[in-house]
Structure formats: C-alpha cells, structure tokens
Amino acid sequence: KHFEGPAAKEKFTRSQPDTVHPLVRTHPLTGKQALFLAGNFIERFDGMSVAESRPLLDELIAHSTRPENVYRHRWSRGDLVMWDNRCTMHYAVFD
C-alpha cells in the first residue's frame, strides 16, 4: 500500500537520498510539457527554501487538481482505464 500515515512516509523519505527533479517535463513522444508534481514528495524547489517553496507548490497543486483539470472515472463492469504516468497525476479514491 501507499503511505499508511506519517510514519510510513517518514520511513520512505529517510531511505531515499535527496534528489532533484525538473518541475516541467517534456513528453518524449508528443513534445508537450507537463508539470512534474508529487506533493507528498516535494520538500522544496531548487534555489528556494522550504518556506519560499510551500506557497508556490500549494498553488500549483491547487490549480492542477481543480475540477476542470480532473478526470474522475465512474467504474462499470468491463472498464479498462489507462494513463501515461509521464504526464498524469493520479490518485486512487475508494468510493
């Protein structure tokens, strides 16, 4: 399972070295650009402090998860849903 609470997240992040990723990625096939956001994993933006980064990160995630930017699938028998992880934010909702 993904993070089952703060302790699991802390254990995972302690086991990983600090890494730097681009904020914008260019899709290798389409050439389109997409934000590369993982709110649970981003501590700060390169060249910015945690305090400086937080408002920008919050704004980018809020924009990306606005209803007009979200696809929410209502499952029916036989459905198959596919997405490209290189340009999609996804989150399982068990409802």
Side-chain angles (χ1 to χ4, degrees), residues 18 22 29 37 49 51 56 83:
D18 288 340
L29 299 176
L37 290 173
S49 70
L56 176 57
W83 59 84

Side-chain angles (χ1 to χ4, degrees), residues 80-92:
L80 173 67
V81 177
M82 298 173 69
W83 59 84
D84 186 336
N85 279 339
R86 297 171 291 189
C87 57
T88 304
M89 294 172 64
H90 49 88
Y91 180 78

Side-chain angles (χ1 to χ4, degrees), residues 1 54 57 64 82:
K1 291 184 179 181
R54 180 62 11 190
L57 178 59
S64 298
M82 298 173 69

Side-chain angles (χ1 to χ4, degrees), residues 9 23 35-45 48-66 69 89:
K9 179 181 176 182
L23 178 59
L35 290 175
F36 186 48
L37 290 173
N40 288 334
F41 295 97
I42 297 174
E43 180 179 63
R44 63 180 182 81
F45 295 113
M48 298 173 73
S49 70
V50 172
E52 292 168 329
S53 298
R54 180 62 11 190
L56 176 57
L57 178 59
D58 290 345
E59 185 176 337
L60 291 171
I61 291 173
H63 176 80
S64 298
T65 58
R66 287 173 32 187
N69 296 324
M89 294 172 64

Side-chain angles (χ1 to χ4, degrees), residues 9-35:
K9 179 181 176 182
E10 287 178 30
K11 181 180 177 184
F12 175 81
T13 54
R14 275 196 317 268
S15 71
Q16 303 300 311
D18 288 340
T19 56
V20 176
H21 296 281
L23 178 59
V24 177
R25 290 183 59 188
T26 301
H27 193 282
L29 299 176
T30 67
K32 291 183 179 181
Q33 293 185 320
L35 290 175

